[in-house]
Amino acid sequence: CARTGAATSACVRERPMTALEFGLDRLLTDPDLRRPLRGRRLALVARLTTNLVVITDANGIIEWVNEGFTRTTGFTREEAVGRRPGQFLQGPETDAAEVARIRESVRNGRSVLAELLNYKKDGSTYWLRIEIQPIRAESGNIDGFIAVETDVTEERERREKVDQAAARLQLAADAAGIGVWEVTLPDHVLSWDSATRRIYGYGLDEAVPRSQAEWLQRVVPESREAILRDVQTAFRQAGP
């Protein structure tokens, strides 16, 4: 989601809604569904997902959690209901600034998207991508909040490994005087490190070729075909 500004809770999705998100979105926004049975419907939809779902009252006190929550955290529904999430799910390594940002959005009745390190009942940690939406009554007043949370621990670990490998590669490249450039897919936009700039004679503040075609024009003609073949092989090995 991309927010359109601090004063609005409009959210532009960068991917299609999942079935769960579509169901929750309808239950939260469709006037025809704003009835007493909505809470039961929310619980039914939430029970069918492997994501963690937490429903709180307007003060942030937990009223209901789904099986995905109990399975991931180790806390039973009885242990969670009546408490604030921060009272038992956060710990020393939880980002206090991110928690403050979430609380500020909730305090102002805005939706919020965040990633947060939480703690399980056994003390182990896990990463969540959290999307919190206000639940409004027909009057427009906030009845409570619903949080749909995805465990992204493995995703974060993979990302950290990639970052660590990239850092080691950069150290090795710097030591050997080797230039490194990266290309984003599928648009094939290039980014150059300082060594590559130096090799091609570009200063740090100068614009460099941003496309593969532009870059190939700066390679000696007799080497272009072999280099292009190697690049295409690397793309195929990288997979989709």
Side-chain angles (χ1 to χ4, degrees):
C1 289
R3 305 298 168 192
T4 57
T8 177
S9 60
C11 179
V12 179
R13 293 185 177 271
E14 298 172 350
R15 57 176 173 75
M17 282 187 180
T18 64
L20 166 70
E21 290 167 339
F22 176 77
L24 293 177
D25 187 69
R26 282 209 64 212
L27 288 166
L28 292 171
T29 60
D30 190 330
D32 293 334
L33 299 178
R34 293 180 183 273
R35 292 188 171 90
L37 288 177
R38 183 180 59 181
R40 291 168 55 189
R41 289 168 174 165
L42 279 170
L44 176 61
V45 174
R47 192 174 290 118
L48 300 177
T49 178
T50 57
N51 286 14
L52 292 74
V53 179
V54 179
I55 299 176
T56 75
D57 65 14
N59 296 313
I61 305 298
I62 295 175
E63 294 184 333
W64 188 87
V65 297
N66 73 336
E67 284 83 352
F69 175 93
T70 61
R71 184 170 51 250
T72 298
T73 68
F75 289 99
T76 66
R77 185 170 299 149
E78 291 73 22
E79 290 173 316
V81 170
R83 306 169 73 183
R84 297 179 188 274
Q87 291 177 330
F88 64 104
L89 295 175
Q90 296 164 12
E93 296 181 40
T94 303
D95 188 338
E98 188 71 345
V99 171
R101 186 178 73 85
I102 294 171
R103 287 176 178 168
E104 178 67 16
S105 295
V106 169
R107 189 179 301 115
N108 289 288
R110 297 197 303 265
S111 59
V112 61
L113 180 67
E115 284 194 9
L116 203 64
L117 181 74
N118 273 0
Y119 287 74
K120 298 182 181 182
K121 187 176 181 178
D122 63 10
S124 60
T125 59
Y126 62 104
W127 281 96
L128 285 178
R129 182 173 296 120
I130 306 169
E131 183 168 1
I132 302 173
Q133 297 282 351
I135 303 172
R136 296 187 181 275
E138 292 183 4
S139 63
N141 294 329
I142 293 177
D143 273 348
F145 294 89
I146 182 166
V148 179
E149 307 171 345
T150 305
D151 188 335
V152 293
T153 305
E154 292 185 2
E155 177 184 324
R156 294 277 305 209
E157 290 174 349
R158 287 195 298 270
R159 198 186 312 165
E160 288 177 4
K161 288 179 180 178
V162 170
D163 291 344
Q164 291 170 0
R168 289 194 294 269
L169 175 61
Q170 190 63 58
L171 284 173
D174 290 344
I178 299 172
V180 176
W181 55 264
E182 298 179 356
V183 59
T184 59
L185 300 176
D187 51 0
H188 292 267
V189 174
L190 302 179
S191 60
W192 297 24
D193 71 350
S194 56
T196 303
R197 286 174 171 273
R198 185 173 61 253
I199 291 169
Y200 282 89
Y202 288 92
L204 293 178
D205 297 328
E206 291 185 84
V208 298
R210 299 285 289 168
S211 70
Q212 183 175 294
E214 289 179 293
W215 166 68
L216 282 173
Q217 293 304 311
R218 286 154 178 80
V219 176
V220 292
E222 55 269 26
S223 299
R224 289 175 188 168
E225 184 177 346
I227 289 175
L228 183 59
R229 185 170 57 248
D230 289 342
V231 170
Q232 292 172 339
T233 299
F235 286 161
R236 286 195 299 271
Q237 291 175 345

